[in-house]
Amino acid sequence: MTESDRSETAAVPGDRPEALFAALFERARAVMPGGCSRNTVLRKPYPLYAARGEGCYIIDLAGTRRIDFANNMASLIHGHAPAKIVEAVRKQVGLGTGYTMATEVEIEYAEHLVARVPSFDKIRFVNSGTEAVMTAIKASRACTGKRKIAKVEGAYHGLYDYAEVSQTSNPGNWGSENRPESIPVAFGTPPAALADVVIIPFNDFPRAEAILEEFKDELACVLIDPVPHRVGMIPASKSFLYGLRDWTRRNDVLLVCDEVITFRCDRGGAQTMLGIEADLTALGKMIGGGFPVGAVGGRDDVMRVLDPLAERVLFPHSGTFSANPVTMVAGKVAMEAFDEQAVSRLNELGRLARSSLAEAAAAADCPAAVAGAGSMFRIHLADELPQNYRQAFPSPQQVRAMQVFVDHMVDNGILMINTCSGMLSTPMQAREIEILAETAEGAFRKAREVLA
Ligand code: PMP
């Protein structure tokens, strides 16, 4: 090990990273609102600036090395710069990065994903999860001839006007549990968009059904994330999921699953894990092998609305970078390597992470409950697991405790998502989980003081 390697192995910041990062942030703020292009990278008082990633480690510009449990917001299933993907992408980049021509690798990757997910007869690629959800919603409208959508309160589905309604509603505006209000995220959201989004509570089928019944003749789809991160990362209960599947079938409404994150849960995504088949599914993140991606897959008769060869084209659909060969090559290599065996090994590690974190909280005597599924976890600084967005909504004290928790982790060599969540990657071993839990014990002790 060289001297420079050694300085990177400890979670000890290098020379005055504060000054370095503060100066970069100042430059950034001069040219970008808030000093960034994605709010997720912001931290107080300034973001960390990355130098490089190596497997399950990420090294910042000050030379501090951390285990990466954020994995670019769940998009890096094999960690950073996996050799096979780097090699395949390098070769493709030399051959060109995009053509106004179709490619064979797009067909190969489509074949792989259609074979992988029981509910897919057909698939189309786009460039982000936002675009995938938008495409699924527009396809639902085109297919059913109806306009409204229903979605779960607090669930994140990207930036499309309709998909983001009530993603950030709060106790001051969310209204009654029997009829949650449709609350905009962005100022200027057209009232017509709000009027076309029906909000249902998570994991409460009787309440959700009562709301859906009222709008059944106007609904194109029910959009659902089977393990919604922002809602608390609790898997959808069978009664909720099967209830929605059955209700949508009976009422000529499509069931759209957003598996942008949850696809990692099983070989065929959380649908396979939970035993349902959606009519349409939005994918993104990890299926790009580290590159920007999205996809919509589903039943042939629904996907047909996207067919430009049809006599009447119901939903003309295109995108300059859709199915670009770099993403296709990287995604195909990544997903082929994330086979049945890799999925179950990573899920086993996920179980270990959740139980080790719960033990660390108990050892620190901190109120905490660990949610998650597959290779994902989310720590709630509360006595019990929340069952929906309203229960998961943190008090100001919990917000402070979460901040203290995540800061302690970052200062001690662990990068996490700032909701106290983490995503595993295949280069991880039991050792990384052990370090996660050891570090978390200190974080739980600090959080306990804030909560006391
Ligand atoms: N759906 C879900 C469940 C997501 O978590 C995200 C991104 N966090 C999106 C959609 C949007 O994906 P993207 O950021 O690629 O637009």
Side-chain angles (χ1 to χ4, degrees):
M1 188 188 280
T2 65
E3 198 51 45
S4 71
D5 282 336
R6 193 167 297 122
S7 73
E8 284 178 355
T9 52
V12 178
D15 267 357
R16 300 208 10 92
E18 302 82 9
L20 173 63
F21 293 162
L24 285 172
F25 193 40
E26 202 177 311
R27 272 174 57 200
R29 289 184 64 184
V31 286
M32 291 176 278
C36 65
S37 298
R38 51 194 296 227
N39 298 351
T40 24
V41 300
L42 285 183
R43 297 190 72 240
K44 281 182 183 154
Y46 36 71
L48 300 172
Y49 287 87
R52 63 200 166 84
E54 248 175 45
C56 62
Y57 287 84
I58 182 162
I59 296 106
D60 71 25
L61 273 184
T64 303
R65 187 179 168 95
R66 296 179 176 85
I67 307 176
D68 192 356
F69 281 95
N71 278 303
N72 193 21
M73 297 300 285
S75 63
L76 302 172
I77 196 69
H78 299 301
H80 297 276
K84 264 193 180 167
I85 295 181
V86 171
E87 194 188 321
V89 164
R90 203 169 259 152
K91 188 167 156 218
Q92 180 58 49
V93 168
L95 297 172
T97 55
Y99 322 103
T100 318
M101 277 193 193
T103 63
E104 188 172 1
V105 67
E106 175 187 3
I107 305 169
E108 288 167 359
Y109 194 23
E111 285 168 346
H112 174 88
L113 289 170
V114 164
R116 190 170 176 126
V117 187
S119 66
F120 288 7
D121 295 324
K122 295 270 165 62
I123 189 167
R124 261 196 179 216
F125 293 102
V126 292
N127 301 289
S128 68
T130 291
E131 212 186 323
V133 170
M134 177 181 77
T135 304
I137 291 173
K138 291 178 69 173
S140 303
R141 293 187 191 125
C143 181
T144 60
K146 298 188 277 181
R147 195 174 70 223
K148 288 191 193 320
I149 70 159
K151 67 156 294 216
V152 164
E153 189 169 50
Y156 186 83
H157 297 287
L159 301 180
Y160 186 39
D161 277 347
Y162 300 84
E164 71 176 9
V165 173
S166 287
Q167 175 212 312
T168 52
S169 50
N170 63 58
N173 62 20
W174 62 29
S176 132
E177 244 180 321
N178 291 327
R179 177 62 89 75
E181 293 289 337
S182 296
I183 303 297
V185 171
F187 278 89
T189 301
L194 298 176
D196 280 337
V197 181
V198 174
I199 302 299
I200 55 173
F202 188 59
N203 268 357
D204 182 344
F205 184 66
R207 267 206 179 90
E209 184 181 29
I211 298 167
L212 294 174
E213 279 291 325
E214 241 182 274
F215 297 97
K216 64 180 173 195
D217 297 332
E218 298 165 87
L219 281 172
C221 67
V222 175
L223 170 65
I224 165 111
D225 178 333
V227 194
H229 166 206
R230 304 278 183 106
V231 177
M233 214 190 269
I234 317 289
S237 64
K238 296 225 156 144
S239 64
F240 185 65
L241 212 51
Y242 294 178
L244 287 179
R245 178 61 286 186
D246 180 54
W247 186 90
T248 46
R249 257 193 202 123
R250 279 190 284 112
N251 289 288
D252 187 28
V253 175
L254 298 178
L255 184 67
V256 176
C257 259
D258 178 346
E259 294 234 42
V260 168
I261 289 190
T262 61
F263 194 55
R264 58 169 46 229
C265 288
D266 207 322
R267 193 169 175 279
Q271 289 169 61
T272 302
M273 177 179 79
L274 298 168
I276 59 145
E277 287 190 17
D279 299 308
L280 285 178
T281 300
L283 300 179
K285 301 217 189 229
M286 78 162 187
I287 68 153
F291 289 82
V293 78
V296 180
R299 247 181 33 222
D300 196 20
D301 61 312
V302 183
M303 291 295 287
R304 202 171 293 154
V305 299
L306 289 154
D307 184 352
L309 308 177
E311 215 159 275
R312 205 168 143 228
V313 186
L314 296 180
F315 176 11
H317 176 252
S318 231
T320 303
F321 290 103
S322 293
N324 74 78
V326 179
T327 297
M328 293 297 98
V329 161
K332 178 172 170 281
V333 173
M335 286 305 95
E336 282 172 355
F338 197 48
D339 57 11
E340 195 94 42
Q341 206 184 346
V343 173
S344 39
R345 191 192 80 85
L346 204 60
N347 287 356
E348 195 49 53
L349 219 51
R351 270 188 283 278
L352 180 66
R354 290 187 292 276
S355 63
S356 308
L357 286 166
E359 282 166 22
D365 199 19
C366 179
V370 186
S375 51
M376 327 186 285
F377 65 81
R378 177 170 168 181
I379 298 162
H380 294 276
L381 294 170
D383 287 315
E384 282 174 24
L385 280 180
Q387 293 309 310
N388 56 43
Y389 177 68
R390 295 189 183 200
Q391 287 178 19
F393 197 85
S395 67
Q397 200 183 22
Q398 283 169 316
V399 170
R400 277 198 306 280
M402 280 162 71
Q403 183 77 55
V404 164
F405 186 98
V406 172
D407 284 349
H408 177 91
M409 299 300 275
V410 168
D411 291 344
N412 289 277
I414 307 268
L415 189 67
M416 284 176 64
I417 295 171
N418 59 15
T419 49
C420 278
S421 306
M423 303 284 162
L424 276 53
S425 64
T426 57
M428 288 180 179
Q429 308 287 336
R431 178 66 190 136
E432 276 77 33
I433 305 302
E434 215 176 293
I435 299 171
L436 171 75
E438 278 166 20
T439 314
E441 194 176 322
F444 280 126
R445 283 187 208 286
K446 283 193 184 159
R448 184 187 64 187
E449 284 169 30
V450 179
L451 294 168

